[in-house]
Amino acid sequence: VKELLKYGADRTLRNKDQWSPLDEAVAAGHSEVMKELFREQDSEIRPHSIGKLSYLTIASRWGHVNVLETLFNGPKNALSMQQWLVTINTKSADMGYTALLEATVSRHQTVVKYLLQVGAKNVGDRFGVTPLHVACRDGQLEIVKMLLGRDFDVSVNIGISSRWGWAGSTPLHYAAENKHHQIGRAHV
């Protein structure tokens, strides 16, 4: 990448799927390539997206903590950091997943831990399903403990019927329904 850029490769060109070289690097988890592409940008990093998913959501889905660290530790000023904190809790345009919900659904404990450290919140998708709902449903005790350690609301319920369950269900409903007795205890 470094040599191609040195000889004038256009980092802004998109392929037939409308992906840029930076998009490819993010999805593949190549943080060193991302750094080279950022170095060539001469501008601050912005919360980019591929299709309807932000870079943060994509990195969270695939478990790329290194990409998240690159995004958060790249060139920034007070304004760009503020943009990232807004973006980390922003819902994707498809199902309304945040980066934290995506990491929880994908069972990436390391990513969940990192996202919580940089300010992720227990934000629900378009149906109101939160990371805590998903972790309780799937029996992810360690993720449940991480989320409860952030004082997330254990009584939050799903607003409307969804593919995850019925209106009014709380994380405790999911733990009970799926026989996750350890998680039920973690709630208390």
Side-chain angles (χ1 to χ4, degrees), residues 16-183:
K16 65 178 177 59
D17 296 321
Q18 295 304 304
W19 283 41
S20 72
L22 184 56
D23 297 343
E24 297 282 0
V26 168
H30 300 309
S31 57
E32 293 305 314
V33 172
M34 291 172 59
K35 290 174 188 174
E36 289 301 322
L37 293 167
F38 288 150
R39 191 170 288 131
E40 294 295 317
Q41 276 187 291
D42 296 328
S43 66
E44 65 185 66
I45 300 171
R46 299 198 194 288
H48 296 284
S49 63
I50 301 173
K52 296 179 179 182
L53 301 175
S54 72
Y55 283 176
L56 296 173
T57 304
I58 291 165
S60 298
R61 174 181 289 177
W62 294 107
H64 299 315
V65 174
N66 59 325
V67 169
L68 294 169
E69 290 170 342
T70 299
L71 292 170
F72 279 96
N73 296 320
K76 58 183 174 272
N77 58 33
L79 177 61
S80 64
M81 190 57 182
Q82 184 179 20
Q83 290 171 333
W84 281 112
L85 291 176
V86 169
T87 303
I88 196 170
N89 293 310
T90 299
K91 298 177 182 185
S92 65
D94 58 352
M95 292 297 295
Y97 283 20
T98 62
L100 183 59
L101 183 55
E102 194 70 63
T104 304
V105 168
S106 300
R107 299 172 179 258
H108 294 300
Q109 289 183 21
T110 307
V111 174
V112 168
K113 182 178 179 181
Y114 182 80
L115 291 170
L116 290 170
Q117 289 172 350
V118 295
K121 305 292 182 207
N122 192 39
V123 178
D125 68 4
R126 66 183 182 157
F127 299 108
V129 177
T130 68
L132 189 55
H133 282 102
V134 172
C136 288
R137 181 203 65 196
D138 293 348
Q140 299 180 62
L141 183 59
E142 292 308 311
I143 291 178
V144 168
K145 288 178 181 178
M146 283 188 255
L147 297 171
L148 292 176
R150 297 293 174 158
D151 293 325
F152 290 160
D153 185 0
V154 297
S155 299
V156 65
N157 61 35
I158 297 173
I160 59 176
S161 296
S162 73
R163 65 188 180 117
W164 297 104
W166 300 104
S169 294
T170 67
L172 187 56
H173 285 102
Y174 283 118
E177 176 186 354
N178 292 290
K179 298 183 191 176
H180 300 306
H181 66 281
Q182 293 290 12
I183 289 175

